[in-house]
Amino acid sequence: MDEYSVKFVAKKISKIRWRPKLDPKGPQSRTFATGSWDDQNNCIALWQILDRPIASENGDAESLLVHEPQKVFETSHVGDIMDLKYVNHDLMAVASSTGSVSLLKHRSNTEAVTPVCAWDKLHQFQFGGSAPCTCLATHNEWIASGGEDGRAVLLAIDQQAPLQTLDKVDSCAINDLSFLKQSEIITVNSFGQLKTFDLRQDTSRESQILSVTETHTPLLCVARHPGQPHIVATGGYDGMLTICDLRQERFHMTRMEAHTGPVWEVKFHPVHPNHLFTCSDDGSLWHWDSTDCATDPVQSFMPSKGKCRPPMFPYFTVGIRVLISSLL
Amino acid sequence: MASTVEREPSEFKLPVPNVGSVGLNCEWGLGQQLHVFQTQKSPANASGVQELKLGVENQSIFDIRWDAEMHDIARKLVNESHNIFVMLQGQVKSLAEPALDAQLRKASKHYRGVLKACQMELIQLAESCEDVTRKLKYDTYIQEFEIVQLIWSLCQIIFIDIAPGGLILKALLDWLQWHFPEGKYLAKEVCQDEQSCSHPKYWEAVFRLLLQGNTENVRLLLSLHTHSDAESFVAADELLRKMPHWTYQHAQSAAEFEMKWRHWREECIRRYEAGEFAAYAELEMIVQVLCGDEHVFRELKDYCETWYHLLVSKLLYQNPTVRLTDLTFHVKSSQAVFNQTGLSSQELDNILQAAFEFDIHQVIKDTCTYLSNPSWWFVAHLADLLHHCKQLDPQKLPFGSNLREYLLLEYATALMSHESLWQVGVDYLDFCPIFGSSYLESYIEHIPLDNERKALKVLHICVERKLSLQAQSVCKVMGMKCLRQERLGAALSWFLRSKDAVVIKQVTNKFLTEYCEQGKFSHLDLIDYLGPSMLITNSLTFLGKYREFHTMYDSGDLEGASSLLLSLISSRLAPKTFWMTLLMDALPLLDLPKVILNIQQTYEILHCLEELHRDGTASDESLSEAEVERAKVLRLALQKNLSRAIIEEGSIKIES
């Protein structure tokens, strides 16, 4: 767990994603993609972890393996990369601050990704100007995108025309969204609210709306429990992690103080949902572990002792740190 | 565009059509940035804002930046060294003297490590680059990195990593070997040659290594010579083997070392004078070097390349126990040897000379003017280190801060001008105790807020540093942007964050106008969920409560709805323009079969209606036809209700 390597890069990284494995039982993925933001020329880069043996410090013959990420490909991107999600092993969806969503494909036998298609100006303000597309969510072959214009759009990877446009999802900006089921999405906004929408029914009104705080602190990210779709975790601008149970009859939530800066992303471990990860503007990544706690997932997440690291990079990560060991 | 302290004026040519007497005016942008625009008057006349006519056709604003360019590798350097810098500042705060010294030395090595790594990467890039002009560019970058490292490592030897006892020759030799690797390369080349000794550069390699005190490899090279079994060679080898080397590790005192060395030198001189090496001119020369013969160094000066190499080489064989403080006296003679040629650049010489003379301020000053792009990087970090090592004069400069802070501010300013590295700049400003926060205050307001996520980041920076005014301004800028785009919800969410009553009122008034026009509220997802935020300002309270009235009314709670409406009317929270709508809302409550509004409440509404009426007749803009008509209807309903209430309340009285 203490083994990690640091690589400094020239551009500020906004998103970082592992490329999914083709074979779920196969060895761990060794490729990941990053997107940059706030630059004149933003780019999407692909990295590969290379193992390099080095002699250990005390000169033992036994050599240690250093896992070093190497940039293998880079392509420029118009606008900040606001979100990056893999649809499947080969396809990667990218959200841009220009309001468009593009789809990139890994070319077999090369390191490169090339654009497959793009949905331009998907998000626009009602009175002029493109709105940044802030988030993406994927479910099978579907992509949902949310924007600062408060709209969500449902796309299918093989169709140029959007499947569905949810015009009035929000009065302010949507910061993140996620599929609860094929037909249900959840969004979080800058007013501190969680909203769920049933795509089969009238989508002009949310089917559920929850305010997390009284002060309307923006919620920045949301993740669904892989096993129990009614459990979601969300992180806010105030650094708090909130776990909610969305079932109407027993709605409750737990709020936990975590980071000293905004929580930019929250993720459940896909296979071991007792483990949760949050990362923040304060430069820290936290690993939450509920394995030893109560069976109720809403109340059981505690910051795992010894596994959460003190902030290494002051409140924004210029460099990327990649935790190589399997995280668990 | 060299970034120099004594800057030569840079000239920008703006593509401005020269129509009549056109003047230019400018506003500061972010850091090293100016926004220049045309004015009708020449700048001398443009004394007041009112004279600025913006009616110039095709008005354009020019965005002028300087020194903002930075290649990818330099940016990497910035990012990585930032990490070291911040860590070091933390250690300065928390650690005491001895531990801190170790950390400072470590930090210095770290910085150099990063520099070296970046240089290596540049070399790799240059090698793989096929474009000639770009390759040339890379080469200049590499050159610059080399110079920076050369100066830094010398400064480290002289100011930071001071050797115990003040004996510094060993460190200086390391410095030479690090920065003049030519000898090593040659030696390698020669060794790989099948007939080493006939290689044209054989002796050059030997002498280069010898001048750096690398006796091990000199012996190795000599052993490859075809005559290496000859007596002279064996003798030379013996002398080289016997040469005493100073090391930190061995607990030998300086005096002991000096004695050994003198003994060894005497032997060299004796054997040289005995003519043991006369058979081979080169061997003789080697031994002359060992003897510290002044003359032979002059002959070998080309292998030294520079006066500072020569200086160290001479010291090695003439005065190996030289103290740090005595270095100064040896500089001039070495420089004299090279003076005739004037091959290497003058500025670099001056910088290194200043370092040898302990004039750190001169080093910093000259480096600022000498280096082009990453110059602030270098001096800022070096000055910071030296400041913590107590090598810098902590005195305040005439303008109020010390040298360290002055340089850090300059560096931070350069970073703030960069579209992406401004976040790093913020961190540097944090460690400038005197002017840091005021610089930050003025810079942070100029950071373009492209999207919400960036705005939230900037806001967080402000909040973290308790810059409440700037935080407010971020919220206001974002909110106003939303307001202009008619995104009332987003505007409200931003204004709520700054709790700015004036602008919140603007938004709520728009909500109310929208309601008047369309008869329903949009943005219910916000209005219905205001909660305690409602209490931030009166206008918001009114909006929230008014919406609550509608919900109550729609759900059939007429009693509650009417009392809420009444309190809304009597509180006079609503803007005047909305009063009519508010009063008309009472109409359905008056027409109910059951009397809901009692006498007092009816009077209250009447009072309000009269007030509105009086205002309407008093001011020029009287009520519109339709409104007068509606007022009539309302008045009638109120009268009816009043009479019903009197009867009802009267009957209650009789019963009681």
Side-chain angles (χ1 to χ4, degrees):
Chain A
M1 195 56 206
D2 283 335
E3 188 197 332
Y4 60 89
S5 73
V6 182
K7 176 107 183 168
F8 280 88
V9 290
K11 286 181 178 162
K12 292 195 284 190
I13 288 177
S14 55
K15 294 286 164 187
I16 177 164
R17 303 278 184 254
W18 285 105
R19 181 182 183 185
K21 298 177 276 189
L22 188 58
D23 168 18
K25 285 177 191 152
Q28 210 190 330
S29 174
R30 306 187 74 77
T31 309
F32 61 88
T34 61
S36 77
W37 72 288
D38 201 25
D39 227 307
Q40 250 169 4
N41 305 303
N42 287 297
C43 60
I44 295 165
L46 291 180
W47 301 75
Q48 236 158 35
I49 311 278
L50 304 173
D51 293 339
R52 188 164 55 87
I54 52 151
S56 60
E57 265 176 38
N58 45 18
D60 283 346
E62 248 181 282
S63 61
L64 297 167
L65 275 187
V66 178
H67 309 284
E68 205 178 58
Q70 280 290 339
K71 196 186 321 186
V72 290
F73 182 74
E74 191 174 64
T75 176
S76 65
H77 180 261
V78 184
D80 292 358
I81 287 137
M82 304 294 281
D83 204 355
L84 199 66
K85 286 270 159 74
Y86 272 94
V87 182
N88 57 35
H89 172 68
D90 277 333
L91 281 173
M92 160 168 56
V94 187
S96 159
S97 63
T98 59
S100 59
V101 173
S102 45
L103 210 55
L104 302 175
K105 191 178 168 72
H106 282 271
R107 291 294 158 200
S108 46
N109 302 328
T110 65
E111 314 282 13
V113 286
T114 50
V116 178
C117 68
W119 294 270
D120 280 336
K121 293 180 184 157
L122 213 49
H123 292 273
Q124 273 179 311
F125 293 125
Q126 205 179 343
F127 297 93
S130 60
C133 173
T134 53
C135 49
L136 295 172
T138 57
H139 193 280
N140 298 335
E141 309 276 85
W142 284 9
I143 305 168
S145 76
E148 271 185 28
D149 55 352
R151 287 195 294 189
V153 184
L154 201 64
L155 305 163
I157 54 167
D158 45 5
Q159 276 180 39
Q160 190 59 45
L163 288 178
Q164 204 171 354
T165 304
L166 283 69
D167 259 329
K168 280 188 178 157
V169 169
D170 214 302
S171 298
C172 35
I174 302 175
N175 286 330
D176 199 5
L177 82 175
S178 173
F179 277 95
L180 292 176
K181 304 175 198 139
Q182 173 95 37
S183 58
E184 208 176 352
I185 57 169
I186 184 163
T187 66
V188 291
N189 68 7
S190 289
F191 204 61
Q193 293 169 325
L194 285 160
K195 294 178 183 180
T196 60
F197 291 86
D198 193 332
L199 299 174
R200 291 164 305 188
Q201 286 169 11
D202 172 23
T203 48
S204 66
R205 248 190 101 75
E206 60 278 345
S207 43
Q208 215 176 352
I209 183 164
L210 312 164
S211 271
V212 170
T213 56
E214 287 181 337
T215 51
H216 308 297
T217 316
L219 290 176
L220 301 172
C221 49
V222 63
R224 189 202 70 166
H225 192 285
Q228 294 161 288
H230 55 273
I231 308 275
V232 292
T234 153
Y237 174 71
D238 50 1
M240 302 278 267
L241 171 70
T242 310
I243 314 272
C244 297
D245 187 332
L246 295 174
R247 279 173 295 184
Q248 226 103 35
E249 68 271 21
R250 46 169 299 189
F251 168 73
H252 65 290
M253 57 190 180
T254 321
R255 284 173 59 69
M256 279 159 290
E257 224 168 293
H259 299 278
T260 56
V263 181
W264 291 117
E265 281 207 72
V266 57
K267 286 269 180 291
F268 280 99
H269 193 282
V271 188
H272 308 277
N274 282 338
H275 297 265
L276 183 75
F277 300 88
T278 56
C279 73
S280 157
D281 209 56
D282 64 11
S284 58
L285 168 75
W286 279 40
H287 173 185
W288 305 74
D289 186 353
S290 68
T291 320
D292 305 327
C293 308
T295 46
D296 180 359
V298 177
Q299 283 169 348
S300 60
F301 274 103
M302 304 291 291
S304 75
K305 281 189 190 116
K307 278 181 180 169
C308 67
R309 297 177 172 283
M312 244 196 97
F313 298 94
Y315 70 79
F316 78 98
T317 318
V318 180
I320 48 162
R321 286 190 299 156
V322 192
L323 294 175
I324 303 302
S325 53
S326 63
L327 289 173
L328 292 175
Chain B
M1 281 195 292
S3 124
T4 55
V5 174
E6 286 136 21
R7 194 186 296 271
E8 282 178 26
S10 314
E11 213 178 86
F12 298 99
K13 284 226 165 69
L14 298 179
V16 181
N18 194 5
V19 195
S21 60
V22 174
L24 287 177
N25 210 326
C26 62
E27 281 286 330
W28 278 105
L30 185 58
Q32 297 161 344
Q33 184 185 30
L34 271 180
H35 298 298
V36 181
F37 52 92
Q38 280 175 263
T39 64
Q40 285 294 54
K41 303 261 177 180
S42 62
N45 297 342
S47 52
V49 185
Q50 58 268 54
E51 282 195 69
L52 288 178
K53 269 197 200 156
L54 292 172
V56 184
E57 270 180 55
N58 300 325
Q59 177 82 21
S60 27
I61 299 174
F62 297 96
D63 179 355
I64 298 180
R65 297 173 205 215
W66 56 97
D67 299 342
E69 236 184 310
M70 218 181 271
H71 53 94
D72 266 14
I73 307 292
R75 290 175 59 166
K76 212 169 133 166
L77 172 75
V78 166
N79 286 336
E80 201 162 351
S81 52
H82 157 246
N83 198 32
I84 304 172
F85 175 81
V86 173
M87 218 132 72
L88 182 67
Q89 306 308 309
Q91 287 161 343
V92 166
K93 254 192 199 157
S94 60
L95 293 178
E97 226 14 86
L100 179 61
D101 278 352
Q103 284 306 329
L104 284 168
R105 263 176 242 161
K106 213 168 161 189
S108 172
K109 278 176 196 152
H110 255 145
Y111 284 131
R112 281 177 52 206
V114 174
L115 274 172
K116 186 78 196 167
C118 287
Q119 192 194 11
M120 305 273 271
E121 207 159 321
L122 271 172
I123 291 172
Q124 233 173 38
L125 271 177
E127 271 169 8
S128 63
C129 179
E130 278 162 17
D131 183 6
V132 181
T133 46
R134 270 183 72 193
K135 197 165 179 160
L136 228 78
K137 233 180 180 174
Y138 282 133
D139 284 338
T140 46
Y141 295 149
I142 293 168
Q143 203 55 39
E144 224 155 60
F145 269 92
E146 176 61 34
I147 290 169
V148 167
Q149 288 178 80
L150 183 75
I151 304 174
W152 189 300
S153 36
L154 183 64
C155 286
Q156 180 180 325
I157 293 166
I158 296 180
F159 301 106
I160 300 165
D161 201 356
I162 303 163
L167 294 182
I168 61 160
L169 199 74
K170 174 86 175 86
L172 286 175
L173 278 179
D174 289 344
W175 178 60
L176 279 193
Q177 291 188 1
W178 190 250
H179 292 285
F180 294 87
E182 185 67 22
K184 249 183 263 172
Y185 294 149
L186 275 181
K188 214 173 183 182
E189 206 183 303
V190 169
C191 284
Q192 277 160 357
D193 202 314
E194 275 178 24
Q195 276 195 307
S196 298
C197 65
S198 52
H199 191 281
K201 300 252 169 148
Y202 174 79
W203 287 108
E204 181 179 345
V206 170
F207 284 117
R208 276 182 185 270
L209 291 176
L210 184 70
L211 287 167
Q212 294 182 356
N214 193 346
T215 46
E216 279 303 306
N217 286 327
V218 172
R219 289 177 58 205
L220 185 83
L221 279 181
L222 288 181
S223 70
L224 294 175
H225 199 273
T226 39
H227 297 214
S228 61
D229 299 331
E231 234 169 77
S232 314
F233 272 88
V234 175
D237 186 67
E238 189 193 341
L239 286 179
L240 284 167
R241 181 170 50 82
K242 279 195 194 161
M243 180 176 170
H245 286 277
W246 171 263
T247 46
Y248 306 122
Q249 286 84 15
H250 297 298
Q252 59 180 347
S253 71
E256 197 182 329
F257 169 73
E258 189 158 3
M259 211 181 68
K260 263 194 198 163
W261 177 75
R262 283 193 182 288
H263 196 75
W264 168 78
R265 196 163 84 142
E266 270 163 29
E267 188 186 342
C268 294
I269 294 172
R270 202 185 59 234
R271 293 173 81 162
Y272 168 67
E273 282 169 357
E276 279 188 39
F277 312 99
Y280 300 91
E282 285 91 354
L283 275 192
E284 198 152 44
M285 233 167 149
I286 290 176
V287 181
Q288 272 179 308
V289 170
L290 295 184
C291 298
D293 183 278
E294 185 71 35
H295 185 70
V296 79
F297 283 108
R298 267 172 208 280
E299 274 177 48
L300 292 174
K301 77 168 188 189
D302 286 344
Y303 296 149
C304 284
E305 298 175 49
T306 60
W307 63 266
Y308 38 93
H309 190 314
L310 182 69
L311 169 72
V312 180
S313 302
K314 267 169 76 177
L315 286 174
L316 173 66
Y317 294 105
Q318 292 180 345
N319 193 1
T321 52
V322 67
R323 310 274 150 159
L324 186 56
T325 41
D326 297 333
L327 272 180
T328 325
F329 309 118
H330 304 276
V331 172
K332 283 275 171 321
S333 63
S334 299
Q335 273 180 330
V337 176
F338 277 88
N339 254 0
Q340 306 97 306
T341 46
L343 270 172
S344 68
S345 65
Q346 197 65 43
E347 290 100 328
L348 181 59
D349 288 348
N350 289 343
I351 295 167
L352 294 172
Q353 186 187 341
F356 279 119
E357 289 168 352
F358 298 103
D359 192 348
I360 185 64
H361 288 98
Q362 196 62 39
V363 173
I364 287 171
K365 201 177 150 221
D366 286 351
T367 319
C368 285
T369 48
Y370 176 48
L371 292 175
S372 63
N373 219 340
S375 65
W376 294 119
W377 180 90
F378 173 69
V379 288
H381 287 93
L382 185 66
D384 175 60
L385 261 181
L386 293 171
H387 177 87
H388 295 307
C389 291
K390 314 254 176 334
Q391 291 278 6
L392 273 194
D393 189 3
Q395 228 178 347
K396 278 188 179 171
L397 296 174
F399 42 81
S401 67
N402 55 29
L403 185 62
R404 165 188 177 264
E405 174 154 343
Y406 169 75
L407 295 169
L408 283 180
L409 286 174
E410 283 299 329
Y411 178 55
T413 302
L415 290 178
M416 291 306 270
S417 329
H418 195 271
E419 74 270 9
S420 166
L421 293 172
W422 54 272
Q423 275 178 297
V424 181
V426 171
D427 265 10
Y428 280 90
L429 289 175
D430 280 349
F431 294 105
C432 298
I434 302 164
F435 291 118
S437 66
S438 51
Y439 268 57
L440 185 60
E441 278 168 26
S442 46
Y443 286 145
I444 204 125
E445 288 188 342
H446 287 96
I447 294 171
L449 303 170
D450 311 326
N451 53 52
E452 280 213 8
R453 201 175 294 171
K454 189 169 172 187
L456 284 177
K457 275 192 185 262
V458 175
L459 183 64
H460 184 66
I461 288 174
C462 295
V463 172
E464 239 184 355
R465 289 161 183 74
K466 304 205 168 48
L467 304 174
S468 52
L469 265 177
Q470 283 67 32
Q472 279 227 323
S473 122
V474 170
C475 295
K476 197 160 184 167
V477 166
M478 286 306 285
M480 288 314 245
K481 211 157 126 190
C482 299
L483 205 56
R484 268 201 301 279
Q485 291 170 324
E486 296 287 328
R487 293 158 55 215
L488 302 183
L492 185 63
S493 74
W494 278 105
F495 291 148
L496 276 179
R497 244 161 260 163
S498 62
K499 303 195 170 46
D500 190 338
V502 182
V503 277
I504 290 179
K505 196 165 173 180
Q506 277 190 36
V507 181
T508 52
N509 283 351
K510 284 215 172 187
F511 277 136
L512 294 177
T513 320
E514 202 181 67
Y515 175 75
C516 290
E517 282 164 5
Q518 297 173 6
K520 63 177 180 13
F521 280 111
S522 57
H523 306 91
L524 284 180
D525 55 340
L526 300 192
I527 300 172
D528 281 349
Y529 289 84
L530 279 172
S533 299
M534 204 188 279
L535 304 175
I536 289 174
T537 79
N538 286 340
S539 58
L540 211 55
T541 317
F542 175 75
L543 181 69
K545 286 289 167 191
Y546 182 66
R547 166 70 191 156
E548 208 175 307
F549 156 75
H550 276 283
T551 344
M552 278 173 143
Y553 184 82
D554 291 345
S555 67
D557 180 7
L558 298 177
E559 300 270 347
S562 66
S563 78
L564 182 58
L565 182 67
L566 214 71
S567 60
L568 283 175
I569 290 172
S570 51
S571 68
R572 304 284 194 273
L573 283 176
K576 270 261 158 63
T577 48
F578 196 69
W579 279 21
M580 204 59 211
T581 318
L582 194 60
L583 289 170
M584 291 311 288
D585 278 323
L587 205 54
L589 294 170
L590 296 169
D591 279 346
L592 295 169
K594 193 171 161 234
V595 181
I596 289 178
L597 297 165
N598 65 25
I599 305 172
Q600 201 52 48
Q601 288 170 323
T602 319
Y603 280 141
E604 190 69 48
I605 299 176
L606 263 172
H607 181 203
C608 189
L609 187 62
E610 279 310 310
E611 209 178 309
L612 191 65
H613 186 68
R614 200 188 52 225
D615 280 7
T617 47
S619 67
D620 293 336
E621 35 168 328
S622 53
L623 296 169
S624 68
E625 283 288 314
E627 275 178 318
V628 173
E629 202 54 43
R630 278 156 74 192
K632 266 186 193 164
V633 175
L634 180 63
R635 206 179 291 272
L636 204 66
L638 282 168
Q639 278 166 5
K640 265 189 200 163
N641 188 67
L642 188 61
S643 54
R644 283 166 65 195
I646 290 172
I647 293 167
E648 207 146 289
E649 281 178 43
S651 65
I652 290 162
K653 229 178 239 171
I654 291 162
E655 270 175 26
S656 66

